[in-house]
Amino acid sequence: MILTDILAACGGPNNLLRALRVDQQVILELKDPALRSDLARVLPFHSKLNQVLWTPETPLSKADWAQFGRIIEHNQRLQLADVSETTPSQHRPLWHIAPPQGLLNDPNGFIFHNGKYHLFYQLYPFACEHKDKYWAHVTSTDLVNWQSQPMALFPSDWFDSHGVFSGHAVSTEEELMLFYTGNVRIGEQRERITTQCLASSKDGIHFTKHGPVIDSLPPLVTPHCRDPKLVRNGDHWLMLLGAQQETDKGQQLGRLALYRSDDLRQWEFISLAGDEFNNFGYMWECPDLFELGDQLIGIICPQGIDDQSEFHNIPHHNGYFKASLNANDQLGLSDFRTLDYGFDFYAPQSTETPDGRRLMIGWMGLPDEINQPSVEDKWLHQLTCLRELSWQNNTLYQQPARELQQLRGEKQRFNLASHTENSSLDLGSKSFELQTTLPWPVSGQTTLRVIDNGSEYCDIILDADKLQIRLDRSNAQPTDGETIRELPWPNQQDVELQLLTDHSSLELFINQGEFVMTARVFTAADATAIRLLSDEPICIDGTSWLLG
C-alpha cells in the first residue's frame, strides 16, 4: 500500500489522529476505528489505543511523514474552532494572560523580535487536563496589551505527537526560530521518546517545523530530558536542557545537559552540569541562563528537593544559582536560592528588552494541581505578571515591570487602624495594587487580610513568635494546592509590601522585591475589602490603585 491507500483504508484523512514512527513501522491512531476498510482490518490493530500497525514495503520518506503531519494539523485546526471563544468567568483575570479555554502551563519563547515582544505558552485547549500540548502565541509592543495570534505549533507530527513541550526562541535578522521538546508516547506503557526540535518563521506568525535537531539522549540520561534554553557563549551557541541522570546504582539525579552548535542546526553533546549539588532532586526542569549586572545567573525548577516548612510537601520547587561559564563550555553552579516562596510559581522564562533590562514571566500554577474553581468555566491557570530583575546585595530582586504602571487607575491613599472601626477598607475591586509597610510586631501577630468579604479571604501574617511571614489561603475557596507558605524573617525588620491582585491571583513583593510570594486565591466576587488585624493596636498608611 502507498500513503493514499493506507489513509483511505483507515477511514480517510479526517479519521487520522496521530502518526507514530517506531523504526520503519508506522502506527496510525484513528478517531473511529469502525471506519476501517477490509484492507486495513487485516493489519495488526490495538483496540485499546485505536491504533493500526503498518509496515510499508518501502520506508516512508521525509515528505510522506510531513504529509501525515499536515493532515493531522488540519484536523486539529478544525477541532480548535469549537474552543476558541473565551468563556465568561468571575475568576478570569483582567490583565494577566490566561487561556480562552483549556489548561495553560509553561510560558515559552519569550523574546523581542522585529519590533514586537513574542510570548508563547503551553496549552491543551480541549479540557482542563494535562494532555497533548500546543504552543499558543501572543504579541505586544508595550508589554501591557497582548494580541492573540494564530496557534503557533500543533502536536501533529511523528516527533511531537503527544505534545509540543516547552522551549525557547532565537531571533535572527531573517527569522524567528523556536526550539522545543517533542514528546511522544508509545504503547499502553506510554514509553516516552523525547527529541529536541526546531520550527522557524519568516513573518513571526506562521511556523514551519524542521523536526528534531537532537534525536538521541545524552549518555546516562533518561527520556526526562527537555525544555531547551539557548545562549551565546563567545562565537557559538549552547543549548541547556533540563535532565534526569540515572546512575549505575539506579539513582535518579537532576542535572543540566549542555550541547554546542555553530549554526543552530548541528548540535554536539558537551557535558552534564550540576555535580556540585550531588543528590539535589530527581529532575531539573525549565533551565534559564543570563547575565545580570556582573553576575551570571542560572534558573531551574528542581523536583524532589526538601523544604524546611512542614506545610510544603509537594515535589515542585523553583530557584536560582550563581553560575559561571568558561570558553570551554564548562558550567559551574553554586548557592541555590528560592526564587518565589508562594504556592503557584513554576517554569519561568526571561528575555532582554531593547533597553537592556531583564524581564521574567512564569506559570502561575503547578504540574499536579488541576482542581480549581475556574475549571467550572472551562479554563485553568494563568501566567504571572511581568517581573523586572536586578542583582543587588548578592541577591536576585524581582519587581513588577515598570510598564505595568500603565494599568493604574486613580491613586487612593488610605489609613487602617486595628482595634477601631477604621480597621477595614472596601476597594471595590479584586484587581488592584497596594503598597504599604507593616511594622514588625513586638510579640504575637499582625495580619493584613486581603480580597476579603468576611468569610472568604487570604491572610498575610507577620508572626513575631515564629519569626516568619506566612501567606495563608486556607479561608479561600478550596483548590488541590497547599494552603500555607512560610518565609523566615529572623531580622525582625518592618515589612515593605507591594501587592498586585487580579480577581483570582495574588503576587506579593516584599522589601522591593527581595522576596516574592505568588498564589492563586479564589474568593467570591464581593471579596473586595482589606482589613488590618493585630494582637496589639497599630496603624498603617498605604496607597492603592485599581488595575486593569
Side-chain angles (χ1 to χ4, degrees), residues 3-46:
L3 203 62
T4 53
D5 292 337
I6 190 67
L7 286 170
C10 288
N14 293 343
N15 201 35
L16 185 61
L17 294 180
R18 280 189 242 268
L20 307 177
R21 180 178 179 176
V22 180
D23 297 324
Q24 302 303 326
Q25 293 183 325
V26 181
I27 301 172
L28 302 178
E29 186 172 323
L30 308 181
K31 181 179 180 181
D32 183 358
L35 297 180
R36 288 174 296 154
S37 71
D38 291 341
L39 193 60
R41 291 182 185 274
V42 300
L43 297 175
F45 179 69
H46 196 303

Side-chain angles (χ1 to χ4, degrees), residues 286-352:
C286 305
D288 201 351
L289 189 69
F290 52 85
E291 287 188 5
L292 205 56
D294 58 356
Q295 180 62 54
L296 185 66
I297 295 170
I299 289 178
I300 63 166
C301 291
Q303 297 178 336
I305 65 174
D306 294 328
D307 192 275
Q308 295 181 350
S309 171
E310 63 178 300
F311 301 106
H312 192 162
N313 297 300
I314 59 171
H316 307 292
H317 298 256
N318 63 82
Y320 68 95
F321 296 106
K322 291 181 182 178
S324 62
L325 180 66
N326 66 21
N328 295 321
D329 302 321
Q330 293 176 312
L331 179 64
L333 304 171
S334 64
D335 193 18
F336 180 84
R337 303 185 198 177
T338 297
L339 193 60
D340 189 299
Y341 288 83
F343 304 95
D344 299 284
F345 183 87
Y346 203 73
Q349 281 246 338
S350 75
T351 195
E352 186 177 9

Side-chain angles (χ1 to χ4, degrees), residues 78-95:
L78 294 177
Q79 279 185 288
L80 277 180
D82 297 329
V83 294
S84 59
E85 184 177 343
T86 299
T87 58
S89 173
Q90 71 168 10
H91 303 300
R92 186 175 289 282
L94 288 180
W95 52 274

Side-chain angles (χ1 to χ4, degrees), residues 21-23 158-163 181-186 190-195 215 217 223 225:
R21 180 178 179 176
V22 180
D23 297 324
W158 63 268
F159 46 81
D160 58 19
S161 60
H162 291 74
T181 298
N183 182 55
V184 177
R185 308 300 286 268
I186 301 295
R190 294 179 59 78
E191 177 187 352
R192 186 187 297 269
I193 300 174
T194 52
T195 56
D215 61 4
L217 295 169
C225 183

Side-chain angles (χ1 to χ4, degrees), residues 235-238 258-262 266-268 270 327 329:
D235 62 353
H236 60 275
W237 290 92
L238 288 182
L258 273 69
Y259 285 78
R260 172 180 172 142
S261 175
D262 294 323
Q266 302 295 321
W267 292 89
E268 174 192 5
I270 301 297
D329 302 321

Side-chain angles (χ1 to χ4, degrees), residues 274-432:
D275 285 347
E276 305 96 321
F277 284 82
N278 193 19
N279 184 7
F280 190 68
Y282 54 79
M283 173 65 188
W284 293 358
E285 291 194 305
C286 305
D288 201 351
L289 189 69
F290 52 85
E291 287 188 5
L292 205 56
D294 58 356
Q295 180 62 54
L296 185 66
I297 295 170
I299 289 178
I300 63 166
C301 291
Q303 297 178 336
I305 65 174
D306 294 328
D307 192 275
Q308 295 181 350
S309 171
E310 63 178 300
F311 301 106
H312 192 162
N313 297 300
I314 59 171
H316 307 292
H317 298 256
N318 63 82
Y320 68 95
F321 296 106
K322 291 181 182 178
S324 62
L325 180 66
N326 66 21
N328 295 321
D329 302 321
Q330 293 176 312
L331 179 64
L333 304 171
S334 64
D335 193 18
F336 180 84
R337 303 185 198 177
T338 297
L339 193 60
D340 189 299
Y341 288 83
F343 304 95
D344 299 284
F345 183 87
Y346 203 73
Q349 281 246 338
S350 75
T351 195
E352 186 177 9
T353 65
D355 61 2
R357 292 176 293 142
R358 177 62 56 170
L359 297 180
M360 182 180 71
I361 191 168
W363 172 26
M364 200 182 293
L366 286 178
D368 298 327
E369 298 179 6
I370 58 174
N371 179 25
Q372 296 184 353
S374 66
V375 170
E376 296 180 5
D377 302 321
K378 300 183 179 180
W379 69 278
L380 182 63
H381 300 313
Q382 64 183 54
L383 299 183
T384 68
C385 78
L386 284 170
R387 302 175 181 184
E388 195 166 321
L389 306 182
S390 60
W391 185 253
Q392 307 173 46
N393 305 319
N394 209 33
T395 300
L396 181 62
Y397 279 69
Q398 308 168 60
Q399 293 180 301
R402 63 190 69 176
E403 285 83 358
L404 297 181
Q405 294 179 19
Q406 299 174 49
L407 295 168
R408 290 174 175 174
E410 184 178 354
K411 179 188 289 188
Q412 178 179 359
R413 299 192 183 277
F414 64 86
N415 175 275
L416 297 179
S418 66
H419 300 82
T420 72
E421 295 181 356
N422 192 33
S423 64
S424 66
L425 172 67
D426 193 338
L427 297 175
S429 173
K430 292 173 64 181
S431 180
F432 63 85

Side-chain angles (χ1 to χ4, degrees), residues 76 86 102 106 122 124 144 151 156 159-160 191 201-202 205 207 225 230 239 241 257 271 349 398 457 476 479:
Q76 291 170 341
T86 299
D106 304 5
Q122 298 277 282
Y124 181 65
V144 176
M151 192 72 71
S156 53
F159 46 81
D160 58 19
E191 177 187 352
S201 172
K202 297 292 187 182
I205 302 298
F207 291 86
C225 183
L230 276 73
M239 180 190 293
L241 294 168
S271 63
Q349 281 246 338
Q398 308 168 60
Y457 51 83
T479 72

Side-chain angles (χ1 to χ4, degrees), residues 100-163:
Q101 294 187 45
L103 181 145
L104 168 153
N105 58 302
D106 304 5
N108 298 142
F110 186 26
I111 198 164
F112 186 79
H113 172 73
N114 287 348
K116 288 184 178 180
Y117 291 94
H118 292 255
L119 177 62
F120 305 83
Y121 61 83
Q122 298 277 282
L123 177 67
Y124 181 65
F126 305 111
C128 295
E129 56 184 301
H130 283 285
K131 289 189 70 176
D132 311 336
K133 300 299 173 56
Y134 295 61
W135 272 35
H137 184 196
V138 293
T139 58
S140 177
T141 57
D142 61 5
L143 295 170
V144 176
N145 299 287
W146 292 91
Q147 180 180 357
S148 295
Q149 300 295 348
M151 192 72 71
L153 297 176
F154 293 72
S156 53
D157 286 270
W158 63 268
F159 46 81
D160 58 19
S161 60
H162 291 74

